Amino acid sequence: MLLLFTQLLLSLLIVTTKSQSSICRTSCGNISIKYPFSIDDGCGSPYYRHILACSDSEKKLELRTPSGRYEVRNITYADPHIVVTDPFMWKCSDGENFRLTRPFSLDTSTKLKLSTQNEYMFFNCSEKHVIIQPKPMFCEHFPEHCDSSCDSASYLCRHIPECSFSLTSVSCCSYYPKASESLRLMLKYCTSYASVYWRDVGFPQPYDQVPEYGIRVDFDIPVTTSCLQCQDELKGGGTCGFDTVTQSFVCLCKDGNSTTHCKDQDIAQHNRKMHVIAGTVTAFSAAGAFGIGAGIWYLKKLRAKAPVTCGVQSNDNRLF
């Protein structure tokens, strides 16, 4: 019972620490973190809760997905998308050596989706299970199977990005999977893959895009009246967040939290309520600290009185 009591008090101490933390970090390394994303629970939109993680002393941002964690190369908010790198996919430095790979997937319950600007190169695919044909000619003759074919005459296979060599003894075809399940099936019959997205560079067409390795993931920015009102500089310029228990909207302000905006007249009353709650938990935690100290003293006292035979504890006198 004493151990259970100690664990309960320790958990209360942890809750106190979390309840006093209301900082929403705005960057991880050189990547800006803005709404709807966050790397701190309770910040941003609940639709993207726990999606991003900042690791390695806050220098590396990672995207969490059902298939693993992937390093984020950049986030663009004007044209909402994330670019991530898959460490398992083929790179030029691999040459004709192909490592074991796994398909990239996204959580369908989030507002994330694979961008149509992605294009995938698949290597050494089984011709028994994958339709590998030069797409223009194949689509002309078999239009009903055009979307399911893997283009062996694609520009990417003939001009592999950033590579100074061509794959002579390896087959290559290009295909865009419309869903993560399609990518999984392709990798079931192909040795490896590489993802390339077409990045806009602002030049006139047809030179307005260049291929770069990576996976582009598009996202939606949930726009609500509550968040716009919270962010309004004339109303205090707060940060949009949410209650971590109910996931209801919360405007995070310098002086406390509000359900509307930072200049709301009710924020002072709301803060007083919050301070009372925090003060109560802190006082209880102080009592808990005292209880832990008393418990340790009591254990030491028991241990001092415990009989020991030849310096070895027996099953009769063992404390733990």
Side-chain angles (χ1 to χ4, degrees), residues 108-283:
T108 55
S109 66
T110 64
K111 294 182 178 293
L112 300 174
K113 57 185 178 182
L114 288 173
S115 173
T116 56
Q117 294 188 32
N118 291 322
E119 197 167 342
Y120 299 85
M121 294 182 293
F122 293 93
F123 304 102
N124 284 350
C125 298
S126 169
E127 295 187 8
K128 291 182 179 179
H129 301 92
V130 179
I131 302 174
I132 306 173
Q133 294 289 336
K135 206 157 193 177
M137 187 183 302
F138 181 79
C139 291
E140 183 179 345
H141 290 87
F142 305 98
E144 68 278 9
H145 298 296
C146 183
D147 289 341
S148 60
S149 64
C150 194
D151 188 7
S152 60
S154 72
Y155 173 85
L156 290 177
C157 283
R158 289 182 290 110
H159 305 87
I160 298 177
E162 301 176 14
C163 288
S164 58
F165 58 89
S166 59
L167 300 174
T168 55
S169 60
V170 176
S171 66
C172 172
C173 63
S174 180
Y175 176 69
Y176 170 69
K178 295 182 179 180
S180 300
E181 181 65 16
S182 300
L183 178 58
R184 187 188 69 80
L185 287 174
M186 286 292 291
L187 285 177
K188 184 178 180 180
Y189 303 114
C190 302
T191 305
S192 187
Y193 87 109
S195 174
V196 173
Y197 75 101
W198 292 89
R199 183 173 64 87
D200 293 322
V201 293
F203 293 148
Q205 292 184 354
Y207 308 105
D208 57 330
Q209 294 181 327
V210 294
E212 287 192 5
Y213 288 103
I215 302 173
R216 171 171 165 153
V217 178
D218 292 340
F219 63 89
D220 296 328
I221 300 179
V223 179
T224 63
T225 304
S226 300
C227 185
L228 292 175
Q229 187 175 240
C230 172
Q231 293 175 327
D232 191 346
E233 293 295 335
L234 297 176
K235 295 182 179 180
T239 301
C240 299
F242 59 92
D243 188 295
T244 56
V245 177
T246 64
Q247 295 195 11
S248 57
F249 175 79
V250 174
C251 184
L252 308 173
C253 309
K254 293 180 181 179
D255 298 326
N257 300 337
S258 170
T259 55
T260 54
H261 54 82
C262 295
K263 289 191 176 181
D264 190 344
Q265 296 297 324
D266 295 332
I267 193 170
Q269 182 180 358
H270 182 73
N271 287 342
R272 282 197 294 271
K273 290 181 180 179
M274 292 297 291
H275 288 319
V276 169
I277 294 170
T280 304
V281 177
T282 304

Side-chain angles (χ1 to χ4, degrees), residues 88-92 94-95 97-98 123 160 163 192-194 213:
F88 294 97
M89 71 181 185
W90 178 87
K91 297 182 294 187
C92 280
D94 295 333
N97 299 314
F98 297 99
F123 304 102
I160 298 177
C163 288
S192 187
Y193 87 109
Y213 288 103

Side-chain angles (χ1 to χ4, degrees), residues 8-30:
L8 175 62
L9 292 174
L10 284 172
S11 65
L12 287 172
L13 285 169
I14 294 171
V15 169
T16 303
T17 303
K18 289 184 178 179
S19 67
Q20 293 171 340
S21 175
S22 59
I23 300 172
C24 295
R25 288 170 288 176
T26 57
S27 65
C28 178
N30 61 350

